[in-house]
Amino acid sequence: MIDDSLISLGNDQPDINAIRQSVVTQEFEDNIGKRAFILIFPYPFMIIGEIIDVMSDYLIIKAEVTNVTELDGEEFRVHIDDIEVFYIEKNLSRPIPDIRNGHHD
């Protein structure tokens, strides 16, 4: 059964955007404390860092590395809908590579 909050108004069909947001939000909530790689829309902005928290539809991530060196080490609040691609480091046999020093495993 589909949660009523995922049904669009005036329609018996599920709201695919609400389902996507719910699933992606839950994935980040389930992996707080783990490292993640994300690409953000509209500019191809990259963050690699630790998932700190999820607040409503925002991901809080502490950046280790970004594609703007001056922002490395900062904490970001990213809207879930702005995330185009993500990878969460769940299995240490497939870690996110350290791209700062040209280190590739």
Side-chain angles (χ1 to χ4, degrees), residues 59-77:
L59 166 68
I60 312 303
I61 186 167
K62 174 73 173 181
E64 296 169 12
V65 178
T66 68
N67 57 325
V68 179
T69 308
E70 293 80 8
L71 297 175
D72 291 359
E74 295 294 325
E75 189 172 284
F76 290 87
R77 188 175 308 253

Side-chain angles (χ1 to χ4, degrees), residues 11 17 35-36 39 49 76 79-80 85 96 100:
N11 191 343
N17 292 323
R35 293 176 75 230
L39 291 177
F76 290 87
H79 195 271
I80 296 292
V85 175
I96 298 167
R100 291 175 285 202

